[in-house]
Amino acid sequence: MPTTEKVRHLSATELLAAVVDEGSFVSWDTLPEQPALSEDYARDLAKARERSGTDESVITGAGLIRGHRVALIVSEFSFLAGSIGHAAAQRIVAAVERATAEGLPLLAGPASGGTRMQEGTPAFLSMVKITGAVRAHRQAGLPYLVYLRHPTTGGVMASWGSLGHINVAEPGALLGFLGPRVYEALYGEAFPDNVQVAENLFNKGLIDGVVEPADLADLVARALDILSTTCGGRVAPPVPVTLAVRPAAVDAWTSIGISRRQRRPDLRQLLKFGANDALPLNGTGQGEKDPGLLLALARFGSQSCIVLGHARPLRRDAPGMGPGSLREARRGMKLAEELRLPLLTVIDTAGAALSQEAEEGGLAGEIARSLHELIGLESPSVSVLLGQGAGGGALALLPADRTIAAQHSWLSPLPPEGASAIVHRTTSFAPGMAQAQGVNVASLYANGLVDHIVDERDDASLEPREFCARMARAIEYELGAVGRVAVPELVAARMRKFSDLGSRLGG
């Protein structure tokens, strides 16, 4: 992995020039109000101003990024290592609060060693008020995007540098809590190589991507195109022909066989062929990245949403969905609530992971917490039964205001072979068990779980693009429908639906 030492990194003004539409940036900065200064500190500040060409370690303002008006906070590392003291903190808080008041998305580009040592504990405590301002911005439903630059460490990384709805980083950037020089001074040895590097953080699920400065404007614009296109108040999408589709006239075992075909379209293909745009996110943000789940911002027609769903394993011997997947799913649920977007969950799993690691990682508890979040989600929601739906891994993503099902999808407590083994001590009775348990769409539709069926024209694997296009139109319609209902009404109706469903299925 390349080191960062030989790479020239952009200054604050250079980054603004690369990201903001030409001539559109307007500064929000006023004369910094410094605390009482010692002679040495006053000299340090004077040298920093001369060296950097800026009057403090951050620049704030607003400008256009591909036509979107965005508030910006960008660190200038050459000003006392981008450190945050009283004046810089006041400037950051003022910019965040102004962005919130004006209803603007906010892009932060930190590059900082953290707290300004010359100001001690008061500067250290300023990270709390910056975090409070960011929290208020997020709670207002406004996007907060972070571009981590080289280097970002200490209190900045541990506060406003890690709180983005989307967090991406400059290639090769040094990112971490502990500065490597501090570690070496304290412990007498160098910190391990390539741990605090952007690419490693991406691999560990701590950030969403590694992005060249030249590509940042396009990424921000894509995200804001999706995030600014919400369901509420928009014209209803066209009524899809799939509303008239009814369950396939085949038995449950036939549908199960069709759902297991290797060429059947999965969530990746649904986003590729059905979504107008999809911007993948990565991991939990807490050091986990489970390949069993895919999380993204997406737009289907005119309807934007947060998407989370099972990523069908690309190899037959790949492990099932683990507890980390559901922790990532709950990140998506929180994003939907904070950004006031509908949530789309996609179910397509042969079952959750059965392993020591999954048990010790708290799989059962994560399924419970996922159900807890979804049933009371303060956001519109639509679930899609795309293919297989076995066990708690499927159930964990199911509760929603509306449920769409592909004609040959299914939902079962266990794969039918497992149910047969429990009841008959052999898998030979799987076909009959599947039919008796009512796992197929015909039974799910009759029992009131499934609201909308998308036809497969015998088998989706034979027409993946066409099937994904039909599914996308159904998704757009249902997102539009739930997006026009007040959230408290949706939550109450969702609770009633699953309460009544349980009674009906048990009767």
Side-chain angles (χ1 to χ4, degrees):
M1 186 177 295
T3 65
T4 57
E5 299 305 319
K6 297 180 181 178
V7 178
R8 183 183 177 279
H9 299 277
L10 299 183
S11 67
T13 54
E14 289 171 333
L15 182 67
L16 288 170
V19 174
V20 178
D21 297 352
E22 187 174 358
S24 70
F25 181 74
V26 177
S27 174
W28 287 353
D29 294 338
T30 58
L31 191 66
E33 297 180 9
Q34 301 291 357
L37 305 176
S38 67
E39 289 186 9
D40 288 344
Y41 186 24
R43 281 195 297 271
D44 289 342
L45 288 173
K47 291 178 182 177
R49 287 191 291 269
E50 181 179 356
R51 184 184 305 113
S52 66
T54 64
D55 63 359
E56 247 304 336
S57 62
V58 291
I59 294 173
T60 72
L64 301 178
I65 298 180
R66 302 291 190 265
H68 295 274
R69 188 163 182 256
V70 178
L72 298 110
I73 299 169
V74 181
S75 296
E76 177 48 66
F77 190 78
S78 65
F79 191 105
L80 297 180
S83 58
I84 304 300
H86 171 79
Q90 291 295 97
R91 180 171 286 183
I92 293 169
V93 169
V96 176
E97 290 178 343
R98 181 168 175 177
T100 306
E102 295 188 17
L104 294 178
L106 176 59
L107 173 63
S112 172
T115 301
R116 189 166 298 171
M117 293 297 103
Q118 294 91 330
E119 296 186 28
T121 297
F124 177 55
L125 292 174
S126 69
M127 302 304 167
V128 179
K129 65 182 177 184
I130 296 172
T131 300
V134 171
R135 176 182 169 84
H137 185 81
R138 289 179 52 139
Q139 288 187 320
L142 297 169
Y144 179 54
L145 314 177
V146 175
Y147 184 56
L148 295 163
R149 297 157 57 222
H150 174 76
T152 302
T153 60
V156 171
M157 188 68 179
S159 59
W160 56 284
S162 295
L163 294 175
H165 290 111
I166 301 174
N167 300 283
V168 296
E170 176 185 11
L174 170 67
L175 308 170
F177 177 60
L178 180 65
R181 283 196 302 172
V182 175
Y183 180 91
E184 188 167 357
L186 291 175
Y187 298 107
E189 60 184 25
F191 196 76
D193 289 339
N194 298 327
V195 173
Q196 298 175 306
V197 179
E199 290 78 1
N200 187 51
L201 269 60
F202 174 76
N203 291 334
K204 299 298 183 182
L206 286 162
I207 61 174
D208 293 306
V210 178
V211 179
E212 293 282 355
D215 298 327
L216 181 59
D218 287 338
L219 176 73
V220 170
R222 282 183 65 196
L224 295 180
D225 282 342
I226 296 172
L227 295 176
S228 62
T229 309
T230 60
C231 294
R234 299 187 66 84
V235 176
V239 177
V241 297
T242 48
L243 272 183
V245 174
R246 293 298 174 260
V250 298
D251 60 38
W253 190 245
T254 298
S255 285
I256 289 169
I258 291 172
S259 77
R260 288 172 170 174
R261 289 178 181 165
Q262 192 170 3
R263 295 177 63 85
R264 184 178 180 82
D266 63 2
L267 176 54
R268 300 176 190 90
Q269 289 174 293
L270 176 60
L271 292 175
K272 180 179 179 180
F273 298 138
N276 295 63
D277 195 10
L279 188 63
L281 303 179
N282 177 64
T284 62
Q286 299 174 29
E288 287 182 291
K289 180 181 178 181
D290 191 316
L293 186 121
L294 192 153
L295 174 64
L297 307 177
R299 188 172 69 252
F300 292 87
S302 63
Q303 308 299 309
S304 295
C305 61
I306 303 294
V307 178
L308 60 91
H310 299 116
R312 187 180 300 173
L314 299 177
R315 302 189 331 270
R316 291 186 181 275
D317 61 346
M321 180 195 74
S325 285
L326 294 176
R327 286 188 274 272
E328 186 173 357
R330 288 195 287 120
R331 177 193 173 194
M333 297 169 201
K334 184 175 181 181
L335 285 174
E337 289 184 327
E338 281 204 355
L339 293 168
R340 299 173 188 176
L341 287 172
L343 179 71
L344 178 72
T345 63
V346 179
I347 296 139
D348 188 7
T349 178
L354 304 175
S355 66
Q356 177 182 341
E357 292 77 13
E359 292 297 321
E360 293 177 345
L363 178 60
E366 289 303 329
I367 292 171
R369 283 182 279 275
S370 183
L371 290 171
H372 178 272
E373 295 296 325
L374 285 177
I375 198 66
L377 188 76
E378 295 287 334
S379 184
S381 58
V382 173
S383 59
V384 174
L385 294 170
L386 192 61
Q388 300 185 81
L395 190 68
L397 301 188
L398 180 68
D401 301 312
R402 298 279 290 179
T403 296
I404 306 169
Q407 264 185 329
H408 294 300
S409 61
W410 52 279
L411 183 69
S412 173
L414 281 176
E417 295 88 343
S420 175
I422 289 174
V423 174
H424 300 287
R425 300 192 178 185
T426 173
T427 61
S428 302
F429 292 89
M433 288 294 298
Q435 195 65 34
Q437 287 188 316
V439 306
N440 62 342
V441 170
S443 296
L444 300 175
Y445 181 75
N447 285 317
L449 173 67
V450 168
D451 304 292
H452 191 154
I453 301 170
V454 175
D455 54 306
E456 300 193 29
R457 301 189 183 169
D458 290 348
D459 181 352
S461 67
L462 302 176
E463 43 141 22
R465 289 176 180 267
E466 296 82 0
F467 168 77
C468 289
R470 290 197 300 278
M471 180 61 79
R473 287 190 288 271
I475 289 170
E476 179 189 12
Y477 175 80
E478 296 295 350
L479 289 173
V482 296
R484 293 190 297 277
V485 182
V487 169
E489 294 178 33
L490 287 172
V491 175
R494 191 186 309 144
M495 294 287 287
R496 287 194 303 270
K497 173 182 177 178
F498 282 89
S499 177
D500 294 345
L501 182 68
S503 301
R504 208 182 318 172
L505 290 172

